[in-house]
Amino acid sequence: MTDSAPRRVRVRAPELTGKGGWLNTGDTQYTLADLRGRIVVLDFWTFCCINCLHVLDELRELEEKHRDTVVIIGVHSPKFVHEAEHRAVVDAVERYGVEHPVLDDPELATWKQYAVRAWPTLVVIDPEGYVVAQHAGEGHAHAIERLVEELEAEHGAKGTLRRGDGPYVPPEPEPTTLRFPGKALPLPSGTFLVSDTTRHQLVELAEDAETVVRRIGSGTRGFTDGGPDQASFSEPQGLALLDDGSVAVADTVNHALRRLDLATGTVSTLAGTGKQWWQGSARSGPAREVDLSSPWDVAVFGGKVWIAMAGVHQLWTYDPVADTVAVAAGTTNEGLVDGPGAEAWFAQPSGLAATAERLWLADSETSALRWVDLDGHVHTAVGTGLFDFGHRDGAAGQALFQHPLGVTALPDGSVAVADTYNHALRRYDPATGEVTTLATDLREPSDAVLDGADLVVVESARHRLTRLRLPEEAVRVESVAHRTQRAATEVRPGRLRLDVVFQAPAGQKLDVRYGPSTRLLVSSTPPELLLKGEGADTDLARELELNPAVPEGVLHVSAMAASCDDDPANEYPACHVHQQDWGVPVRLTEGGTDRLPLVLAGMDE
């Protein structure tokens, strides 16, 4: 390094390896040596994870602005068994509009080499092949851009920067009627409205669920109100019929609730600003002045429009009379906790279905079926937590799903579940407490709607609606149970020092104008694992005490830090929130570590 260059920790970057090979490169297989001279940003992601999808959106601007110096590489590191299937990764790369190379790493080989502990994690490698920064969670795009500008200047002066076209090669588009449709809604006319998610449109299909009646939306990613050809969406998902005959649309990546006038095809905005909700944002208020976060589904329940706010693990409501939005349930902590709405924890709620008495929801990251009663209390019918999933029928207490995205109330009081990563349609009967399988061999079903005696299933990864006769008998399926593939961290029983590493980006400092700018929340599964150190505080380091009588479990760590531009002359400095939730599987052993470092931003020195 030259004397004028910024001093920073540099660690030689391990090689990139993944059994699934490379996508979006025109079949070329790359090594780090091939990328020498470029600034490389590794994005460790998995396609189930809403925070990972947020980071994909955060990186788009950086990707475009620094296209000739920066190469972003997605390292796909699966949580669920289904995500280790190569075909599923290929689908996800197209589904979410990923416009950079992706390394498919089904066995987490590169994840382990880089000692990654959380989805999403971003690692910056300089043009000489050294790791210079690591960031976990969301909100880091501005810091990475500043680092990129530093590296461009530093390595441009040294002659070690190589400019030019990157290795990205777009795949050939497929000519299907729908492309990764998300949700469907039967209309009073007998037709079906479908969110054609990857094409950023709504499509009305005829009674046969195949013939296109009309398309609504320009088909280009955007956030514009107007007529059917002018309006634009960004990966729309959930649909609900409102009392006035219009349709509410969960416009997921626009972080907005939109309204479709069925008669004219005109689209307007009901709620949201187009900006993503962050900790500290308003939790209620005039609908078009409050930020939302990745609304995934909508349903009318108790006179309000309920919103599955997948991006912050909550349920919100939109009140069409008062024209306001508010949090209805969930703390923003990710997990499975029942009780009064204000105390409940969810994990990426992604499907809703209302009856007169209950709002059913598919809580995807806990592979759970849950419900809210008329008093706002949250209950779990099926599911145990973030790390257990599978395909197992029988009594609800031991039945398993795998990342379900849709739920449908059936006339007999039972519930159909679009069990997405099991490629199945399941059924839960509250009267018997039993879970059965209705159909298999579907491809990533994400929703289902009733049509007479039939169920019309959104087969997302087959790009179609599929009509099924409601079967009289369940399908027999071999039981399988899984735990997440991540290796447990071996820790010593007793005292464990937890260090969340946060270094404010260059030119920034912690924002302490209104009190502490950091927050750390710690809990465990099972709760008995932690003898000391549970709860919330402002210090990012904490002494934990682990119970020697509990051999293994999961530490849940949620951290937040706010930093602002460090310029005394600027009365209104730009500020940024960095946040991440970790679920760290741990195994207690005498030879284990007594320090657990989790990097929020910077390098663990």
Side-chain angles (χ1 to χ4, degrees):
M1 273 194 183
T2 63
D3 289 339
S4 60
R7 285 189 56 76
R8 61 173 74 89
V9 178
R10 298 165 91 226
V11 177
R12 176 63 73 182
E15 190 51 83
L16 305 176
T17 56
K19 193 171 257 188
W22 290 80
L23 306 175
N24 279 358
T25 62
D27 294 328
T28 301
Q29 306 296 301
Y30 282 91
T31 66
L32 271 179
D34 299 324
L35 303 168
R36 194 64 48 81
R38 311 302 289 272
I39 300 161
V40 177
V41 179
L42 302 182
D43 175 17
F44 289 87
W45 70 299
T46 190
F47 62 78
C48 69
C49 153
I50 192 70
N51 312 87
C52 299
L53 304 186
H54 289 167
V55 167
L56 284 177
D57 295 319
E58 284 180 12
L59 291 175
R60 289 185 206 281
E61 193 175 329
L62 176 77
E63 205 163 19
E64 189 55 46
K65 192 171 172 184
H66 298 272
R67 195 168 283 283
D68 67 334
T69 57
V70 172
V71 175
I72 294 175
I73 292 172
V75 182
H76 189 269
S77 315
K79 171 186 172 181
F80 289 100
V81 168
H82 170 59
E83 293 175 308
E85 291 177 24
H86 184 69
R87 177 72 243 171
V89 181
V90 172
D91 284 347
V93 166
E94 183 192 346
R95 179 195 293 267
Y96 296 116
V98 179
E99 294 185 351
H100 50 247
V102 172
L103 176 64
D104 179 13
D105 182 18
E107 295 175 349
L108 302 178
T110 297
W111 165 285
K112 289 169 189 163
Q113 284 292 309
Y114 280 82
V116 174
R117 294 185 185 275
W119 297 277
T121 291
L122 297 165
V123 174
V124 182
I125 301 172
D126 74 11
E128 294 178 291
Y130 290 91
V131 173
V132 291
Q134 183 171 326
H135 301 264
E138 302 179 49
H140 301 293
H142 71 285
I144 290 173
E145 176 159 25
R146 186 165 289 204
L147 177 56
V148 162
E149 288 167 353
E150 281 181 15
L151 292 170
E152 285 174 342
E154 178 185 335
H155 289 273
K158 285 176 70 173
T160 47
L161 184 69
R162 180 165 56 91
R163 293 179 180 269
D165 291 335
Y168 170 64
V169 178
E172 286 293 315
E174 298 279 345
T176 52
T177 302
L178 302 172
R179 204 71 194 158
F180 299 105
K183 305 286 184 183
L185 176 69
L187 296 177
S189 61
T191 60
F192 297 92
L193 189 67
V194 183
S195 52
D196 196 10
T197 304
T198 298
R199 295 221 176 103
H200 314 297
Q201 288 181 318
L202 307 180
V203 179
E204 187 177 352
L205 299 178
E207 289 89 337
D208 62 5
E210 292 180 17
T211 307
V212 175
V213 176
R214 59 174 169 167
R215 291 182 179 273
I216 294 143
S218 65
T220 301
R221 187 191 295 273
F223 187 22
T224 311
D225 289 340
D229 299 326
Q230 292 78 42
S232 56
F233 301 95
S234 188
E235 299 181 31
Q237 288 280 351
L239 307 164
L241 198 61
L242 302 181
D243 292 342
D244 66 1
S246 66
V247 175
V249 182
D251 193 5
T252 304
V253 178
N254 278 328
H255 310 296
L257 199 64
R258 312 290 292 280
R259 176 185 183 273
L260 168 65
D261 184 313
L262 285 171
T264 64
T266 301
V267 176
S268 54
T269 299
L270 288 174
T273 63
K275 295 194 183 81
Q276 185 184 335
W277 189 95
W278 284 97
Q279 293 289 352
S281 302
R283 297 164 61 89
S284 63
R288 284 172 298 285
E289 296 174 19
V290 177
D291 300 336
L292 309 182
S293 182
S294 297
W296 208 275
D297 204 4
V298 280
V300 178
F301 177 64
K304 293 181 179 174
V305 180
W306 285 65
I307 307 166
M309 206 70 79
V312 282
H313 318 298
Q314 290 180 315
L315 301 179
W316 287 45
T317 54
Y318 165 69
D319 185 334
V321 177
D323 198 24
T324 54
V325 290
V327 175
T331 63
T332 76
N333 295 323
E334 184 178 13
L336 193 152
V337 177
D338 289 338
E343 298 169 16
W345 290 25
F346 300 100
Q348 223 167 291
S350 301
L352 298 174
T355 67
E357 304 293 322
R358 293 183 180 185
L359 179 71
W360 292 98
L361 68 115
D363 205 25
S364 62
E365 280 291 285
T366 50
S367 298
L369 173 66
R370 306 177 73 186
W371 52 281
V372 182
D373 63 28
L374 289 169
D375 294 325
H377 278 65
V378 178
H379 311 259
T380 298
V382 180
T384 57
L386 285 164
F387 296 95
D388 295 288
F389 55 92
H391 191 148
R392 187 196 281 152
D393 288 332
Q398 53 90 57
L400 294 171
F401 300 130
Q402 186 181 180
H403 197 82
L405 290 178
V407 60
T408 311
L410 300 178
D412 64 357
S414 68
V415 185
V417 177
D419 192 6
T420 309
Y421 289 2
N422 280 328
H423 309 302
L425 195 67
R426 312 285 292 285
R427 177 177 176 267
Y428 166 69
D429 187 349
T432 63
E434 293 286 311
V435 174
T436 52
T437 297
L438 296 174
T440 57
D441 301 320
L442 301 164
R443 186 73 189 165
E444 291 193 21
S446 53
D447 195 19
V449 295
L450 271 169
D451 185 36
D454 296 345
L455 269 173
V456 177
V457 180
V458 180
E459 239 189 314
S460 190
R462 282 203 179 107
H463 319 292
R464 70 186 190 193
L465 301 193
T466 300
R467 188 179 290 275
L468 301 174
R469 181 54 51 98
L470 263 173
E472 298 287 329
E473 293 182 7
V475 179
R476 286 199 61 78
V477 177
E478 201 65 41
S479 289
V480 290
H482 304 290
R483 295 211 84 193
T484 181
Q485 292 185 336
R486 279 186 296 164
T489 299
E490 295 199 342
V491 294
R492 202 177 297 168
R495 288 187 179 178
L496 176 71
R497 181 175 173 82
L498 171 65
D499 282 325
V500 173
V501 177
F502 178 77
Q503 291 143 9
Q508 295 203 338
K509 63 179 181 180
L510 286 173
D511 175 19
V512 292
R513 290 170 301 164
Y514 308 109
S517 62
T518 54
R519 179 175 179 269
L520 179 63
L521 177 72
V522 180
S523 63
S524 67
T525 305
E528 300 77 45
L529 174 63
L530 271 178
L531 294 175
K532 194 179 97 179
E534 187 180 14
D537 203 346
T538 57
D539 193 347
L540 291 181
R542 190 177 300 180
E543 192 99 338
L544 309 181
E545 190 173 341
L546 303 182
N547 187 347
V550 179
E552 62 179 19
V554 178
L555 291 174
H556 302 283
V557 180
S558 179
M560 185 194 82
S563 61
C564 294
D565 290 345
D566 187 10
D567 180 359
N570 187 352
E571 192 179 348
Y572 302 104
C575 296
H576 306 274
V577 177
H578 318 255
Q579 63 185 57
Q580 172 60 13
D581 296 331
W582 290 267
V584 183
V586 293
R587 184 180 301 113
L588 274 59
T589 171
E590 287 303 331
T593 182
D594 61 0
R595 177 176 178 261
L596 178 62
L598 299 175
V599 178
L600 180 60
M603 296 280 284
D604 180 24
E605 299 179 24

